[in-house]
Amino acid sequence: MPVVEPRSGGRILVDALVANHVDRVFCVPGESYLDALDAMYDTPSIDVCVARNEGGAAYMADAHGKLTGRPGICFVTRGPGAANASGGLHMARQDSTPLIMFVGQVARGHLGREAFQEIDYRQMFGQVTKWVAQIDDPSRIPELVNRAFATATSGRPGPVVLAVPEDMLADTAAVADLPAWQPVATHPAAGDVVRAVEALSSSARPLVVVGGKPWGEQARLDLERFASAWDVPVATSFRCQDYIDNDHPSYAGDLGIAISPALTQRVKDADLLLVVGARLGEFTTRGYSLVDIPRPRQQIVHVHADAEELGSVYFPALAINASPTAFVAELARTTPAGQPKWAAETHRAHGEFVDWNTPFEVGGDVQLGEVFGWLAGRLEPDAIVCNGAGNYTGWVHRFHRFHRFGTQLAPTNGAMGYGTPAAVAAKLAHPERTVVAVAGDGCFMMNGQELATAVQYNAAIVVIVVNNSMLGTIRMHQERRYPNRVVATTLHNPDFAMLATAYGAHSELVMSTREFAPAFERALAANRPALIEVRVDPDLIAHNTTLSQIQGDSQ
């Protein structure tokens, strides 16, 4: 066997990342992992992206994981740094995103004394991760890093945390590197596919619901091939609208924030739900109201990569433990015996989606439906659209159309502040593609400082800030539940265009619908990070209602 020279823990750790084909890490530097940072200096194959807050770094790693299917890598320092990054772990858990976070830790000899910034990360992150561990011996780094990759990508993907004490990273060990971990996919048994097809063939009002992870562009193509052959309607779960081309004649819409009444009724009326990858969570089921618990009135064939998810909430007629990508690949090989009896309903369902997707005029100088309808037609099919959380997202989800997988980056855990850092990560991963972040004024202010990161790395994203000077979602609920008792939802904002200019970005201010298109073209032509502030009438509280209507209903 070849002689293995001693290396520092930091060097062994970075070499383990190289062995696992990591090409980018997101971080906020800290003294607790200086030896790992020093090793990155001599590793040109890994691009180090420095964020302005650990929360932004974690969101960037999540976005990278969503886009690539490989674990996004994040390094943060101990204590406050780890706390700042915790939102990204919660997101990766609920969004089923593969992510590995390395957290600096105090020296091993100081543990248990409440040393400076000391936290037990097993207790802190146990509920929001798939696995938390601490590496106390540098010779075990290759073993535990590969286990982290295995855990983050197996079954239902998710986040892993590895704590790395600073003195461990400085220690040396003579240990060989391991080959890269190869993700393992679960495949359906032949009998499971046959039974699923039999259930579909015998149904009268089927609806396919897709979502979850893992997924990919080939899975999209396989799904579309199956949907075309069977002429069956397909709906996407919450914020998985890019799992099928929205122009496909089988697409019926998304089960999310901007769900149409027609699609809501279709879920209720379905006699079969073929659920591939989705968990059927709270948003997708409209507060668990569309699918009864524990025994649904619809027959459910539930396909999921994690065996523990099957039957955890709903009692399915058929449970299949398989990767959704492997399952749709098998479905794509099947064909119906004859013309499906539900074909006309499938075409009607897509027509209902087109009607719902068509912008309409409301009050105010800025028609957001028209803005996002125009944007949907302007952007290339591979353009990436990112957003965080808030009522403004209803316009994106309702009026935009997604065509390829990996073009929607949005948090299913409902985290504000995601859009801008996600866009930075997306642009670094795909500099040749147009990347647009959409944020409300409240959402942008939570991680808008990552616009400085975009400027630093010349990530030419376009950020659209929809500014109504309020936290619109909470204001809407406030008006409905406590009429005329407005508190804590009004915002006094900076001039976002001037703020963007101060960061070094191109900036535009839009006050009317007709101003948006030329402003967007100028933003793209600037070939550098850009921000477009769109000031809207505060009365436009959501894509399907106004404050005036809500206030009138409460009187």
Side-chain angles (χ1 to χ4, degrees):
M1 294 182 64
V3 176
V4 179
E5 296 293 332
R7 294 171 290 168
S8 72
R11 182 73 263 168
I12 297 169
L13 174 57
V14 173
D15 287 345
L17 297 181
V18 173
N20 278 282
H21 309 303
V22 171
D23 57 5
R24 178 169 289 114
V25 302
F26 302 94
C27 73
V28 174
E31 69 272 24
S32 60
Y33 66 94
L34 278 177
D35 286 274
L37 284 171
D38 185 68
M40 292 178 200
Y41 180 87
D42 296 317
T43 311
S45 63
I46 294 182
D47 180 41
V48 181
C49 177
V50 180
R52 300 309 174 99
N53 181 277
E54 290 87 358
Y59 287 169
M60 291 176 192
D62 174 271
H64 189 86
K66 281 184 169 74
L67 282 174
T68 65
R70 303 188 305 273
I73 306 298
C74 183
F75 277 79
V76 300
T77 197
R78 61 200 177 202
N84 284 344
S86 60
L89 294 173
H90 180 263
M91 176 183 296
R93 182 59 176 165
Q94 290 219 328
D95 287 37
S96 302
T97 306
L99 185 151
I100 302 174
M101 182 177 294
F102 295 93
V103 183
Q105 179 59 291
V106 303
R108 290 164 293 180
H110 297 168
L111 289 169
R113 296 173 176 167
E114 197 180 347
F116 179 62
Q117 297 181 333
E118 179 186 356
I119 296 177
D120 185 332
Y121 298 111
R122 294 181 182 91
Q123 293 188 51
M124 182 179 185
F125 293 135
Q127 192 174 355
V128 293
T129 59
K130 294 185 69 176
W131 180 50
V132 185
Q134 181 167 300
I135 306 177
D136 289 320
D137 182 350
S139 68
R140 295 192 64 188
I141 289 174
E143 168 202 347
L144 296 178
V145 168
N146 268 37
R147 180 177 170 184
F149 276 84
T151 303
T153 57
S154 64
R156 176 187 171 188
V160 168
V161 168
L162 288 179
V164 286
E166 57 183 319
D167 60 327
M168 184 279 298
L169 292 174
D171 280 357
T172 60
V175 60
D177 295 321
L178 287 174
W181 169 255
Q182 299 300 317
V184 178
T186 51
H187 292 265
D192 287 337
V193 177
V194 170
R195 286 193 290 167
V197 168
E198 288 175 346
L200 176 59
S201 299
S202 61
S203 68
R205 299 178 305 279
L207 179 65
V208 178
V209 180
V210 296
K213 301 288 190 308
W215 199 259
E217 182 64 5
Q218 184 58 50
R220 177 186 71 83
L221 296 172
D222 289 339
L223 174 65
E224 291 173 5
R225 191 177 305 117
F226 158 72
S228 295
W230 286 82
D231 219 348
V232 64
V234 178
T236 55
S237 63
F238 183 42
R239 289 179 169 162
C240 294
Q241 291 166 264
D242 59 345
Y243 281 34
I244 182 173
D245 187 341
N246 295 180
D247 286 333
H248 192 281
S250 286
Y251 184 59
D254 69 294
L255 298 167
I257 288 177
I259 183 173
S260 71
L263 182 54
T264 300
Q265 193 62 45
R266 285 193 177 277
V267 178
K268 293 179 179 179
D269 293 342
D271 63 349
L272 171 70
L273 295 178
L274 175 53
V275 182
V276 184
R279 293 177 52 241
L280 291 181
E282 181 182 359
F283 249 111
T284 298
T285 60
R286 293 188 70 81
Y288 304 104
S289 66
L290 301 183
V291 184
D292 293 341
I293 300 172
R295 186 182 289 275
R297 58 186 177 277
Q298 308 95 331
Q299 184 183 21
I300 290 187
V301 175
H302 197 178
V303 183
H304 203 276
D306 188 347
E308 293 185 1
E309 185 63 37
L310 297 168
S312 64
V313 178
Y314 303 98
F315 184 82
L318 175 60
I320 301 175
N321 179 209
S323 164
T325 58
F327 185 78
V328 295
E330 294 298 325
L331 282 183
R333 298 185 178 97
T334 67
T335 54
Q339 176 69 17
K341 48 187 172 290
W342 54 75
E345 279 302 310
T346 299
H347 301 156
R348 190 173 293 113
H350 183 66
E352 291 166 351
F353 159 72
V354 172
D355 289 343
W356 182 250
N357 182 248
T358 302
F360 56 91
E361 187 171 343
V362 294
D365 293 330
V366 177
Q367 301 292 319
L368 287 178
E370 185 177 335
V371 164
F372 286 107
W374 177 87
L375 194 63
R378 168 62 179 82
L379 293 176
E380 304 87 349
D382 67 348
I384 301 170
V385 178
C386 315
N387 62 261
N391 269 9
Y392 72 91
T393 65
W395 280 281
V396 181
H397 296 326
R398 180 168 178 177
F399 299 115
H400 190 71
R401 292 195 189 186
F402 298 89
H403 303 286
R404 299 181 187 175
F405 175 74
T407 56
Q408 181 181 39
L409 288 177
T412 66
N413 81 327
M416 295 176 69
Y418 181 73
T420 303
V424 173
K427 192 65 177 179
L428 292 177
H430 295 288
E432 77 286 358
R433 294 163 66 177
T434 302
V435 179
V436 177
V438 187
D441 47 323
C443 189
F444 178 77
M445 289 296 286
M446 292 201 176
N447 270 314
Q449 75 279 350
E450 300 305 343
L451 188 59
T453 306
V455 171
Q456 179 170 343
Y457 296 103
N458 196 30
I461 63 175
V462 178
V463 181
I464 301 170
V465 179
V466 180
N467 180 11
N468 65 353
S469 297
M470 70 173 72
L471 295 168
T473 303
I474 311 307
R475 175 68 181 275
M476 179 181 69
H477 293 307
Q478 200 171 57
E479 293 281 2
R480 285 174 172 164
R481 293 179 59 183
Y482 304 101
N484 302 314
R485 295 177 62 83
V486 178
V487 60
T489 52
T490 301
L491 299 177
H492 179 75
N493 290 315
D495 184 317
F496 290 110
M498 291 183 65
L499 181 63
T501 300
Y503 277 128
H506 176 85
S507 65
E508 298 277 350
L509 175 61
V510 168
M511 303 286 286
S512 67
T513 306
R514 61 180 175 79
E515 294 175 352
F516 181 82
F520 186 82
E521 297 296 353
R522 289 191 296 269
L524 280 184
N527 199 31
R528 59 190 172 107
L531 180 145
I532 304 172
E533 178 185 351
V534 182
R535 292 184 187 169
V536 298
D537 188 336
D539 193 49
L540 302 179
I541 197 67
H543 69 100
N544 57 356
T545 191
T546 64
L547 272 179
S548 300
Q549 289 173 318
I550 295 172
Q551 291 164 345
D553 292 341
S554 65
Q555 292 178 356

